[in-house]
Amino acid sequence: MKQLDMLYEGKAKKVYKTDDEDHYIVHYKDDATALNGAKKGTIYDKGVFNNKITSFFFTLLKKNGIDNHFEKMINDRDQIVKKLQMLPLEVIVRNVVAGSMAKRLGREEGEVLIRPTVEFSLKSDPLDDPWINEYYAVSLGLATEEQVKEVIRQAFAVNDVLKPFLADKGVVLVDFKLEFGLFHGQVMLGDEISPDTCRFWDADTHEHLDKDRFRRDLGDVDGGYKEMLKRLTGEVL
Ligand code: TMP
């Protein structure tokens, strides 16, 4: 497959067209942002870690019957993915209170939720990804009712696979963000699953093994990415 022009450059990734109309090449960058772009930096080899970690998770999900856009890794920073028509939604699943949920609702970080929950944001940098609910998503024409139902079903199915898998590796899956698109009309999981888009806590110490080290200036930022890759694949970079 031949890489053609860049289609889009995001905060953490670049997307390239290919000579195959059903596929893109995604390139993972070291750039990191937080607070909706207000805080900027780079994290050493983050692109390599996130490419490998995302490839690992998407392969695991496929093995467990959750189809997604991932096809294969072609080098340390690039992967071939199916071309999806993205839904303009961020879908967040939470198992434990943290981050914006703790702030907004005045709850302690670390409180285990009675059952996992899901929430939606409108994907919009200028509006700072505002909260919407599933009714808004349909009313605003962002997705159909059936698509929203399918998104929620798949989001919880991802949690049902990843949460016990990570628990086995000594990691608490606190929360994570997913993005979905349509592939030939079918709802399909896309984007990435990495320490940029998930909260991973060490099960014993609750040490953060994710981008919160960058967001909260906790230091040794690349150490979290390194540790997650090691726990998942045994690979030490
Ligand atoms: P939050 O607590 O800040 O709402 O974040 C919940 C989860 O979603 C956390 O794992 C980080 C992830 N996330 C993203 O990947 N991108 C985003 O733009 C936001 C707001 C959160």
Side-chain angles (χ1 to χ4, degrees):
M1 197 175 300
K2 206 169 138 218
Q3 182 169 315
L4 302 177
D5 296 343
M6 187 170 80
L7 180 73
Y8 168 80
E9 177 160 8
K11 284 176 272 190
K13 302 189 285 295
K14 292 179 187 174
V15 180
Y16 292 88
K17 291 184 196 163
T18 70
D19 58 354
D20 172 342
E21 70 169 44
D22 267 343
H23 291 92
Y24 287 144
I25 290 175
V26 175
H27 175 86
Y28 282 75
K29 306 191 292 180
D30 290 347
D31 297 341
T33 60
L35 310 169
N36 195 36
K39 178 171 176 167
K40 287 194 175 75
T42 59
I43 299 173
Y44 182 75
D45 268 357
K46 175 169 83 74
V48 177
F49 288 111
N50 282 356
N51 184 29
K52 287 177 184 251
I53 292 169
T54 293
S55 300
F56 178 87
F57 279 134
F58 278 148
T59 304
L60 178 72
L61 290 174
K62 270 197 189 176
K63 279 186 201 150
N64 284 275
I66 302 171
D67 202 9
N68 57 70
H69 77 159
F70 177 73
E71 296 283 18
K72 64 173 181 179
M73 246 176 73
I74 47 175
N75 60 48
D76 272 1
R77 287 180 181 273
D78 297 273
Q79 56 183 244
I80 296 175
V81 301
K82 287 198 180 80
K83 175 176 165 182
L84 306 186
Q85 219 186 312
M86 296 308 289
L87 302 174
L89 301 172
E90 300 208 336
V91 181
I92 293 173
V93 177
R94 298 179 191 267
N95 295 304
V96 176
V97 174
S100 69
M101 185 187 218
K103 249 194 210 131
R104 203 174 50 239
L105 303 179
R107 307 287 281 234
E108 280 292 309
E109 275 209 326
E111 178 185 342
V112 178
L113 295 168
I114 290 167
R115 63 172 193 186
T117 191
V118 68
E119 69 197 53
F120 290 92
S121 297
L122 171 68
K123 217 175 140 60
S124 165
D125 283 338
L127 297 176
D128 208 0
D129 298 343
W131 239 70
I132 57 168
N133 64 28
E134 56 207 86
Y135 294 91
Y136 275 41
V138 176
S139 301
L140 294 168
L142 310 176
T144 66
E145 192 172 343
E146 291 69 32
Q147 287 164 354
V148 169
K149 271 195 191 136
E150 181 58 15
V151 162
I152 294 172
R153 189 191 70 76
Q154 290 192 30
F156 282 129
V158 169
N159 193 44
D160 288 342
V161 173
L162 297 191
K163 194 174 128 185
F165 179 87
L166 285 161
D168 211 42
K169 309 276 179 195
V171 174
V172 180
L173 178 59
V174 172
D175 55 34
F176 55 94
K177 185 263 303 178
L178 302 174
E179 295 186 25
F180 292 85
L182 302 178
F183 185 69
H184 297 299
Q186 297 301 305
V187 171
M188 187 179 278
L189 176 63
D191 195 48
E192 65 179 289
I193 301 181
S194 74
D196 273 11
T197 62
C198 305
R199 284 196 174 92
F200 300 124
W201 291 357
D202 178 86
D204 293 328
T205 64
H206 282 192
E207 183 190 5
H208 298 274
L209 305 172
D210 54 53
K211 202 169 104 176
D212 272 350
R213 291 196 191 193
F214 172 79
R215 296 187 189 101
R216 301 178 183 189
D217 296 317
L218 301 176
D220 187 22
V221 172
D222 54 316
Y225 295 79
K226 247 183 219 168
E227 179 63 21
M228 281 307 299
L229 182 67
K230 190 172 124 204
R231 292 206 196 181
L232 294 173
T233 68
E235 189 176 359
V236 178
L237 282 192

